[in-house]
Amino acid sequence: MRYTITSRYGDHEAFRDHAHTGVDLKMNVGEPLKAIEEGIIHIKDFGAANAGKTIILETDNGIKLIYGHLSEFNVVEGQHVSAGDLIGLSGNTGFSTGAHLHFGVKEGNRFVDPAPFIEKIQHMNESISPIPKTNIMEYLQQHINVLTESMKETAVNVIMLTDYSPVIKLFENLFKFIFFNF
């Protein structure tokens, strides 16, 4: 699903007294918002001002991804999240002209153009990976168990073939006939 961009970084709208510090994407209230990068969560609630309920996702390299005007938080202050984790729901909180997501990016203490991240935001609710999250040791143990069971079954089948198989007896008799009857 693609979200309509209603305001771009640097736009000067009549209702603002400064250039826009992010990108606004039209969304219904309650749209799932997912982390597009791994990082640590910081929560701000500006009430009826600014971006209202806001999540700041601080990445490992110090970039801050800002999700504003949320209706609900699904994370807590200081929580570590991975890309694809649900962090909140879109809304219409703070100083807002309608339901949308304000998405901004800060490097250090200054806002920068969030354009490099917009495709990730556009696709944040699509499946990122078909591989489920699992502990590597559990994964290996599951495969070792399957291999062990397969080997046990093979060993049983080999024993049954060498001890009782009429096919083996046939080959044994054929071998004796060919080599001992000349």
Side-chain angles (χ1 to χ4, degrees), residues 33 37 44 68 80 93 110-111 174:
L33 301 174
E37 298 281 332
K44 302 283 185 192
H80 181 271
T93 60
R110 68 180 186 90
F111 287 99
L174 187 60

Side-chain angles (χ1 to χ4, degrees), residues 20-98:
H20 193 212
T21 59
V23 171
D24 289 344
L25 297 106
K26 182 178 170 71
M27 292 185 185
N28 295 322
V29 172
E31 189 78 31
L33 301 174
K34 295 185 180 172
I36 59 168
E37 298 281 332
E38 180 177 343
I40 303 296
I41 295 293
H42 301 288
I43 293 179
K44 302 283 185 192
D45 191 341
F46 299 103
N50 202 325
K53 291 183 177 182
T54 301
I55 289 175
I56 300 169
L57 193 167
E58 187 172 356
T59 66
D60 292 340
N61 60 1
I63 293 174
K64 295 176 183 134
L65 307 176
I66 301 159
Y67 298 72
H69 304 295
L70 280 63
S71 62
E72 187 177 310
F73 299 123
N74 288 76
V75 288
V76 295
E77 177 67 31
Q79 181 177 339
H80 181 271
V81 295
S82 297
D85 288 349
L86 179 67
I87 60 174
L89 302 177
S90 64
N92 190 21
T93 60
F95 180 69
S96 174
T97 58

Side-chain angles (χ1 to χ4, degrees), residues 51-177:
K53 291 183 177 182
T54 301
I55 289 175
I56 300 169
L57 193 167
E58 187 172 356
T59 66
D60 292 340
N61 60 1
I63 293 174
K64 295 176 183 134
L65 307 176
I66 301 159
Y67 298 72
H69 304 295
L70 280 63
S71 62
E72 187 177 310
F73 299 123
N74 288 76
V75 288
V76 295
E77 177 67 31
Q79 181 177 339
H80 181 271
V81 295
S82 297
D85 288 349
L86 179 67
I87 60 174
L89 302 177
S90 64
N92 190 21
T93 60
F95 180 69
S96 174
T97 58
H100 71 285
L101 169 67
H102 168 85
F103 180 74
V105 177
K106 267 189 163 180
E107 288 181 2
N109 286 326
R110 68 180 186 90
F111 287 99
V112 296
D113 188 353
F117 296 94
I118 295 305
E119 278 306 304
K120 286 185 178 182
I121 288 291
Q122 291 285 14
H123 299 286
M124 72 182 155
N125 288 320
E126 297 173 6
S127 178
I128 292 176
S129 172
I131 301 169
K133 293 180 184 177
T134 185
N135 178 310
I136 188 69
M137 294 310 291
E138 290 174 14
Y139 177 82
L140 289 173
Q141 188 61 52
Q142 289 170 355
H143 284 78
I144 288 170
N145 292 345
V146 169
L147 183 59
T148 301
E149 286 304 311
S150 294
M151 290 175 72
K152 285 179 184 176
E153 289 176 22
T154 302
V156 168
N157 290 336
V158 168
I159 290 169
M160 291 177 78
L161 273 176
T162 57
D163 289 345
Y164 305 108
S165 173
V167 174
I168 296 295
K169 288 293 184 189
L170 175 70
F171 280 109
E172 183 179 277
N173 289 332
L174 187 60
F175 182 80
K176 286 179 185 176
F177 175 77

